[in-house]
Amino acid sequence: MQTIEEPVLLQPAPQDVYLPVSVIIPVRNEARNLPRCLESLRGAGEVYVIDSGSTDETGEIARSFRAQVVQFHYHGGWPKKRQWAMDTLPLAYDWILLLDADEVLTAESLEEIRNVIENPGADGYYFALRMYFLGRVLSHGDASFYTSPRLFRRGKGRFECRYKDQNTSMCDMEVHERVVVDGRTAKLQHPLVHHNVNSLSRYILKHDEYSNWEASVWLEGEASYRDLPPSLFGTQAQRRRWLKRKFLPLPGSPLLFFLYKYVFRLGFLDGVPGLIYCCFQGIQFFHIKAKIYELQMETKP
């Protein structure tokens, strides 16, 4: 059992708030990652940890950091976890910050967030990800990219709903549904640090759930792109969607995807972690294609 000898008081008195934001962190059995995430949020105005019946020490750890723990029971459909939290919780601040338990803010990120809140030039902000995988920063293989907006004014951001008929096998967290901001957006200079893997076993289990969702969304077709349609000349998310729509149907696309990341995008320069990461990306493509085929077979008369 994990113990915390000296609990850190994350939520300061109101006059000591350094970062006037409402932080939302979705979790499920994140006892290993959560202390590192919460430690990076010193001075945040309020932190909500949205749990889904964790069976480890996730809840105890969150409370030791003075975060507010809320249970969310997913039964399928929409909204899912983070949208439910934004719709339901009595958020105290005008800005929302979305983090995952395996993400960490650097001191430079904290200062940048504070500056843009004090002098906002936009209604929503994108972070780049600096990905750690198997103990190494991945610098190649397209491992670093911009997330959907994670910092935005309350009431200005919402998750797109790409597929409503979801079940619990697709997990209770938004996977590739993006935040759509009603207003101007901008990119932040300093990245989020993303620790991508606790263990390879858990990584594989999580991505099995993700591939269920991906296959179902693929069969939805254009209906799943109401807010952010695929576009070669759109945002980064829209370009990635355009490429996936064109690339996934090709014969041998999982192997081609691996070669693209490992060879063309220089993933081999990241050593063994880079090889494993790029292999898993190709395998994920294969799982999606196989599950699309399975779903198509199930719907045939």
Side-chain angles (χ1 to χ4, degrees):
M1 176 178 292
Q2 181 168 350
T3 60
I4 298 177
E5 296 179 359
E6 297 182 18
V8 179
L9 303 183
L10 175 65
Q11 285 198 284
Q15 64 270 22
D16 296 327
V17 169
Y18 176 77
L19 203 64
V21 296
S22 297
V23 184
I24 295 173
I25 305 172
V27 297
R28 183 175 60 183
N29 293 330
E30 291 286 359
R32 180 174 177 179
N33 285 319
L34 193 58
R36 181 173 51 208
C37 176
L38 294 177
E39 185 73 31
S40 76
L41 286 167
R42 290 178 180 272
E46 63 179 1
V47 178
Y48 282 98
V49 171
I50 317 300
D51 193 15
S52 295
S54 292
T55 56
D56 62 8
E57 293 78 35
T58 292
E60 290 83 351
I61 291 170
R63 282 184 282 269
S64 77
F65 280 84
R66 297 292 177 89
Q68 302 180 64
V69 180
V70 179
Q71 289 296 327
F72 171 69
H73 304 284
Y74 182 60
H75 301 292
W78 188 263
K80 294 200 282 184
K81 202 167 199 173
R82 286 180 285 189
Q83 185 62 54
W84 174 87
M86 291 191 291
D87 292 342
T88 305
L89 299 178
L91 304 179
Y93 293 90
D94 292 332
W95 288 84
I96 295 173
L97 175 63
L98 302 176
L99 289 181
D100 290 335
D102 56 4
E103 294 172 340
V104 176
L105 289 176
T106 64
E108 293 81 7
S109 295
L110 287 170
E111 184 64 26
E112 187 174 18
I113 292 170
R114 180 178 171 87
N115 289 337
V116 299
I117 289 176
E118 290 180 348
N119 301 287
D123 295 300
Y125 291 90
Y126 294 85
F127 287 92
L129 288 184
R130 180 190 299 157
M131 186 180 295
Y132 278 79
F133 185 81
L134 294 176
R136 175 170 180 157
V137 177
L138 298 184
S139 302
H140 307 282
D142 279 348
S144 296
F145 53 88
Y146 277 93
T147 67
S148 68
R150 298 286 201 89
L151 176 69
F152 48 88
R153 293 182 191 271
R154 182 156 51 94
K156 289 285 190 177
R158 61 175 175 80
F159 278 92
E160 58 175 341
C161 177
R162 295 189 60 191
Y163 179 58
K164 286 187 176 181
D165 188 22
Q166 304 187 57
N167 59 51
T168 53
S169 74
M170 299 175 192
C171 76
D172 58 6
M173 299 170 67
E174 295 82 355
V175 184
H176 296 299
E177 286 128 332
R178 299 260 172 174
V179 172
V180 179
V181 172
D182 180 17
R184 184 176 179 271
T185 59
K187 294 179 179 179
L188 295 176
Q189 179 181 354
H190 298 287
L192 281 175
V193 178
H194 180 62
H195 296 268
N196 192 267
V197 60
N198 271 344
S199 69
L200 292 182
S201 293
R202 185 167 184 196
Y203 181 95
I204 292 167
L205 288 172
K206 286 174 65 176
H207 282 76
D208 178 58
E209 291 182 322
Y210 296 167
S211 62
N212 291 336
W213 181 89
E214 289 270 14
S216 297
V217 168
W218 178 269
L219 293 180
E220 282 284 286
E222 295 301 320
S224 70
Y225 297 115
R226 298 175 185 87
D227 294 301
L228 292 172
S231 172
L232 181 60
F233 303 104
T235 65
Q236 183 185 64
Q238 289 176 294
R239 287 195 300 274
R240 290 166 72 96
R241 290 177 179 182
W242 185 89
L243 289 169
K244 182 175 287 188
R245 296 298 296 181
K246 299 296 183 182
F247 190 63
L248 188 63
L250 296 177
S253 57
L255 177 60
L256 294 174
F257 190 53
F258 162 76
L259 293 174
Y260 168 77
K261 283 184 168 286
Y262 190 65
V263 178
F264 185 73
R265 301 300 296 171
L266 306 180
F268 64 89
L269 295 178
D270 287 325
V272 173
L275 172 62
I276 295 172
Y277 176 78
C278 293
C279 283
F280 277 170
Q281 293 290 292
I283 291 169
Q284 180 77 357
F285 241 58
F286 178 78
H287 286 170
I288 294 168
K289 292 193 72 167
K291 289 180 179 182
I292 290 171
Y293 178 78
E294 179 185 41
L295 290 174
Q296 290 172 332
M297 293 296 293
E298 290 175 352
T299 57
K300 284 185 177 180

